């Protein structure tokens, strides 16, 4: 049960964080880094078996009646994501050990981020769609807590809520798609679904289930037009941005698309939807990144562009495109995680992330500068970094894409020109040029803040120099998993002088040109944005939420008006209409009552009930009305005794006695009764409603007694109570076994009500002078 233990140990550690942080204090973050590091090594040891296609499947029953299992699956794709989650998590915890050491709610932060890590591992290792959905939602919830970690700031609260609403909406849509997919294929297990791709694609439900699942993937991975939540999420502390918004959470949608590609991919709908969304997102992200001033927002928009690129590559779906997607997934995780950490280190050291207030810091931050430029060279796609290989393969995949190769190549070059310009703008703006006046005196960031960027940038360099040794073993098993079959492709740094290399040269040249003319270009583009992009998606979303809240307030004011008699009237009228409609549809039924067989004492009890009810209605004394209602209850209990339901009768007598005592106690403290009669029209209305409601109840009881549409369930209980419930008291078996969950719920409700009553009884009025 290796995979279950890997996921379980992270959640277990998360719930230990309050105790660990209390004991270890500021160094607890460094201790937490040991756990993902060990998991990274453990997962890496599985790589040889995965390369040999010895996949791991482990499962335990969860809800067997619903075909839901807590099952996990490790193949090349899930292994790659698990390595990114644990590897990046190790560096982020080291980074957080210094970054978060003086935060007052440090223990809470580690709990949230460990909760997120466990959920991400569960998500990428899940072999069951429902299990995957559960972990998916935990990532949304934990990211909400992390984005809103600085909850004293209204901007952080708004960004967290926006993120939760967008991704939560997508998650619910995705669940609907999963249910449809499971119904079509007859299984929720991914390993079963991978064998039934043709059945799913041939189903009439293919289009709705694909669109619903795409909504979930697009919202999670910030695809246009759901991209706007990601820049807002930069309100989170930088370790969160470096972990969630570079390599993990935003890639969850990419993982889902890649995982389902063998099942749902290869159709026009799939290629068109992913191609259109990916291309739009790629261009929008790259364009807006160039005009930002905040370092983290620059990185956020470049992340959006990269996510669009990844979705586009999955949409193309050829073997080369999938390989390009997997390589670029690694490339982006390495450089984006490092750049987020550098942006946070600069902010921590000099007190600002505004690039207009930064510059000339190369002499005082040499290590940070070297790590930054190594990372940016990979982002710009320069040799010999892994980013260069990624860009070459992406161009190659788009040039060879069927039918739309020219358009894709143009779009990719346009987006990458902006990315090259942004990379140099980031590095030059921070470390070179004229010295500015930041809030704090610049100095080299602390070592824990630099470990992550240095490790990631050096890793990118060596993976670029030795692609056959370091890159190919990770990439090809993942490519095989996405294609559901082995793909024979070779990763190398140099492909020779060809069209792809020419496109790379054009990209870098035009990107550098844009960088050199950055001031007039940014000025012109910002003017263009102000003129033609006046409406921001964030504002539009905010107005949409406000409109919805206004609508619900108005709706609530109409429905929840506070007049209880109208609530009762509405319930009686609606239920009466529905039941009378059903009774009318089955009007052919009849009943035969043998009045002679009715015992005289039952007739007497019935007359007593009717007389008491009429007396309760017309009496002018509260106490008499309560006593008459009690008489009705006791008479009903007597009927139960006559028909052998002694336990029900005892319960009813106890309830009636308790209610009677309580009512009498309350009435005793009420002011004197001052009769205020309603208008005659109101009484006529109430009388009609009472007759209609009472009439349908009478008709319903008669119909239930004399019409047998299907065998009564009582026969089942009589037959199975002993064999399945192992009890001779059928009522007890029903309560404890057949409807044990209902009984437990009722007991919980009673317990909560009792706690509430005890709390109210313990309340004491405050004395004068007490606050």
């Amino acid at each position: 049960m290796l995979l279950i233990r890997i996921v379980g140990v992270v959640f277990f550690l998360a719930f230990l964080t309050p105790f660990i942080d209390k004991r270890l204090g500021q160094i607890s973050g460094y201790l937490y880094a040991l756990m993902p590091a060990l998991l990274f090594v453990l997962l890496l040891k599985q790589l040889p078996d995965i390369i040999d296609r010895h996949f791991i499947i482990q499962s335990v029953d969860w809800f067997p009646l619903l075909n839901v299992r807590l099952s996990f699956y490790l193949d090349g794709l899930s292994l790659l994501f698990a390595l990114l989650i644990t590897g990046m998590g190790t560096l982020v915890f080291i980074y957080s050990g210094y970054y978060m050491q003086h935060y007052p709610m440090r223990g809470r932060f580690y709990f949230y981020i460990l909760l997120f890590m466990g959920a991400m591992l569960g998500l990428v290792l899940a072999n069951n769609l429902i299990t995957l959905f559960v972990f998916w939602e935990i990532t949304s919830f934990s990211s909400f807590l992390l984005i809103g970690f600085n909850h004293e700031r209204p901007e952080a609260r708004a960004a967290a809520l926006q993120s939760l609403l967008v991704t939560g909406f997508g998650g619910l849509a995705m669940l609907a798609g999963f249910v449809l997919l499971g119904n079509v294929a007859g299984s929720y297990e991914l390993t079963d679904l991978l064998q039934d791709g043709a059945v799913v694609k041939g189903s009439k439900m293919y289009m709705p289930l694909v669109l619903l699942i795409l909504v979930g993937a697009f919202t999670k991975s910030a695809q246009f037009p759901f991209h706007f939540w990601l820049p807002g999420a930069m309100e989170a502390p930088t370790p969160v941005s470096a972990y969630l918004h570079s390599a993990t959470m935003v890639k969850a949608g990419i993982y889902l698309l890649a995982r389902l590609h063998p099942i749902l991919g290869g159709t026009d709908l799939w290629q068109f939807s992913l191609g259109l969304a990916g291309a739009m997102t790629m261009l929008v992200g790259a364009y807006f990144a160039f005009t930002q001033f905040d370092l983290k927002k620059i990185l956020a928009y470049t992340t959006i562009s990269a996510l669009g690129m990844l979705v586009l590559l999955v949409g193309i779906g050829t073997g080369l495109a999938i390989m390009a997607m997997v390589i670029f997934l690694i490339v982006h995780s390495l450089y984006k995680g490092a750049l987020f950490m550098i942006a946070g280190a600069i902010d921590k050291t000099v007190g600002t992330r505004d690039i207009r207030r930064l510059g000339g810091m190369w002499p005082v931050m040499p290590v940070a500068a070297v790590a930054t430029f190594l990372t940016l060279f990979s982002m710009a796609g320069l040799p010999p970094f892994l980013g260069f290989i990624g860009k070459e393969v992406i161009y190659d995949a788009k040039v060879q894409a069927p039918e739309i190769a020219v358009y894709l190549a143009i779009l990719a070059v346009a987006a990458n020109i902006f990315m090259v310009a942004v990379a140099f703008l980031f590095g030059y703006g921070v470390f070179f040029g004229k010295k500015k006046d930041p809030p704090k005196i610049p100095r080299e960031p602390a070592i824990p803040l630099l470990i992550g960027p240095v490790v990631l940038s050096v890793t990118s360099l060596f993976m670029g120099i030795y692609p056959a040794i370091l890159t190919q073993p990770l990439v090809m098993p993942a490519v095989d998993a996405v294609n559901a079959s082995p793909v024979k492709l070779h990763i190398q740094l140099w492909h020779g002088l060809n069209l792809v290399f020419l496109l790379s040269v054009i990209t870098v040249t035009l990107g550098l040109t844009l960088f050199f003319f950055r001031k007039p270009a940014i000025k012109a583009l910002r003017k263009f944005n102000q003129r033609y992009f006046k409406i921001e998606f964030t504002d539009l979303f905010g107005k949409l939420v406000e409109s919805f809240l206004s609508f619900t307030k108005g709706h609530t004011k109409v429905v929840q008006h506070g007049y209880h008699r109208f609530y009762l009237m509405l319930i009686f009228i609606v239920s009466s209409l529905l039941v009378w409609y059903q009774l009318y549809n089955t009007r052919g039924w009849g009943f035969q009552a043998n009045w002679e067989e009715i015992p005289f004492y039952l007739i007497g009890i019935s007359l007593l009930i009717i007389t008491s009810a009429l007396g309760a209605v017309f009496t002018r004394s509260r106490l008499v009305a309560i006593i008459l209602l009690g008489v009705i209850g006791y008479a009903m209990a007597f009927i139960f005794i006559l028909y052998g339901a002694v336990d029900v009768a005892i319960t009813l007598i106890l309830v009636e006695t308790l209610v009677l005592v309580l009512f009498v106690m309350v009435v005793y403290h009420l002011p004197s009764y001052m009769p205020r009669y309603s208008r005659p029209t109101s009484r006529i209305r109430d009388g009609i409603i009472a007759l209609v409601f009472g009439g349908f109840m009478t008709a319903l009881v008669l119909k239930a007694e004399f019409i047998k549409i299907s065998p009564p369930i009582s026969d089942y209980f009589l037959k199975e109570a002993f064999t399945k419930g192992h009890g001779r008291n059928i009522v007890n078996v029903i309560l404890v076994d057949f409807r044990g969950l209902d009984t437990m719920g009722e007991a919980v409700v009673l317990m909560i009500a009792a706690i509430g009553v005890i709390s109210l009884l313990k309340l004491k009025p405050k004395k004068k002078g007490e606050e």
Side-chain angles (χ1 to χ4, degrees), residues 451-527:
I451 289 176
V454 170
V455 170
L456 293 172
S457 58
V458 171
T459 302
S460 179
L461 176 62
F462 277 93
M463 289 185 78
I465 295 174
Y466 304 105
I469 300 174
L470 299 177
T471 309
Q472 183 118 357
L474 279 175
V475 170
M476 296 319 297
V479 175
D480 291 350
V482 178
N483 279 291
S485 61
V487 177
K488 293 183 179 179
L489 294 170
H490 185 63
I491 302 173
Q492 57 187 5
L493 180 63
W494 178 247
H495 291 263
L497 298 175
N498 51 22
L499 176 61
V500 171
F501 182 75
L502 177 63
L503 290 175
S504 295
V505 173
I506 292 173
T507 301
V508 175
T509 304
L510 292 179
L512 285 172
T513 305
L514 185 59
F515 165 71
F516 284 121
F517 294 99
R518 59 190 178 281
K519 290 183 179 178
I522 291 175
K523 188 177 179 181
L525 290 176
R526 290 184 74 84
K527 279 186 178 180

Side-chain angles (χ1 to χ4, degrees), residues 516-750:
F516 284 121
F517 294 99
R518 59 190 178 281
K519 290 183 179 178
I522 291 175
K523 188 177 179 181
L525 290 176
R526 290 184 74 84
K527 279 186 178 180
F528 181 81
N529 294 343
Q530 290 172 358
R531 184 169 183 179
Y532 293 104
F533 300 122
K534 293 179 181 178
I535 300 176
E536 293 192 5
F537 279 83
T538 304
D539 297 336
L540 194 63
F541 179 79
K543 289 179 181 176
L544 186 66
V545 172
E546 287 178 7
S547 302
F548 179 73
L549 291 176
S550 299
F551 169 76
T552 54
K553 283 180 182 177
H555 176 265
T556 304
K557 192 178 291 183
V558 172
V559 177
Q560 301 288 332
H561 40 66
Y563 294 100
H564 289 185
R565 61 180 182 275
F566 291 120
Y567 295 157
L568 292 174
M569 271 194 281
L570 185 64
I571 293 170
F572 291 155
I573 292 171
V574 172
S575 55
S576 300
L577 290 175
L578 291 174
V579 176
W580 275 118
Y581 174 75
Q582 179 62 19
L583 291 171
Y584 176 78
N585 282 340
T586 55
R587 56 188 177 278
W589 65 279
F591 67 93
Q592 295 177 349
N594 189 354
W595 300 100
E596 296 177 355
E597 293 183 359
I598 300 176
F600 69 92
Y601 44 84
L602 274 182
I603 297 174
I605 293 172
S606 301
L607 291 175
L608 178 63
I609 291 174
I610 294 171
T611 307
S612 300
L614 291 173
V617 170
F618 290 105
T619 183
R620 297 187 178 184
S621 169
R622 290 171 177 156
L623 190 59
V624 172
I626 292 168
I627 293 172
L628 290 173
L629 289 175
V631 170
I632 296 172
Y634 289 122
M636 292 296 299
F638 192 67
I639 293 175
F640 282 123
I641 292 173
L642 292 175
Y643 283 94
V646 180
D647 49 350
V648 179
I650 293 172
T651 306
L652 186 55
I653 290 171
L654 291 175
V655 171
E656 287 295 336
T657 305
L658 179 63
V659 171
L660 190 62
V661 171
L662 289 176
F663 268 112
V664 170
M665 291 173 65
V666 172
V667 167
Y668 178 77
H669 291 283
L670 286 177
S672 301
Y673 182 60
M674 299 293 291
R676 295 174 59 188
Y677 298 111
S678 54
R679 292 177 300 176
T681 51
S682 299
R683 277 178 275 167
I684 293 171
R685 176 201 62 197
D686 295 343
I688 294 172
I689 293 174
L691 287 173
V692 171
F693 188 78
F696 97 70
M697 285 300 298
T698 305
L700 193 64
V701 170
L702 292 173
K703 185 172 182 180
E705 175 64 22
F706 293 102
I707 293 182
K708 306 297 182 188
I709 299 174
S710 58
I713 195 170
S714 54
D715 294 340
Y716 171 81
F717 290 141
L718 286 171
K719 182 180 177 184
E720 305 291 349
F722 183 75
T723 55
K724 290 189 175 179
H726 306 291
R728 297 186 184 281
N729 187 317
I730 297 173
V731 175
N732 286 351
V733 172
I734 291 172
L735 291 176
V736 176
D737 292 280
F738 291 123
R739 53 181 295 267
L741 198 60
D742 291 345
T743 306
M744 188 181 72
E746 292 165 359
V748 171
V749 170
L750 287 175

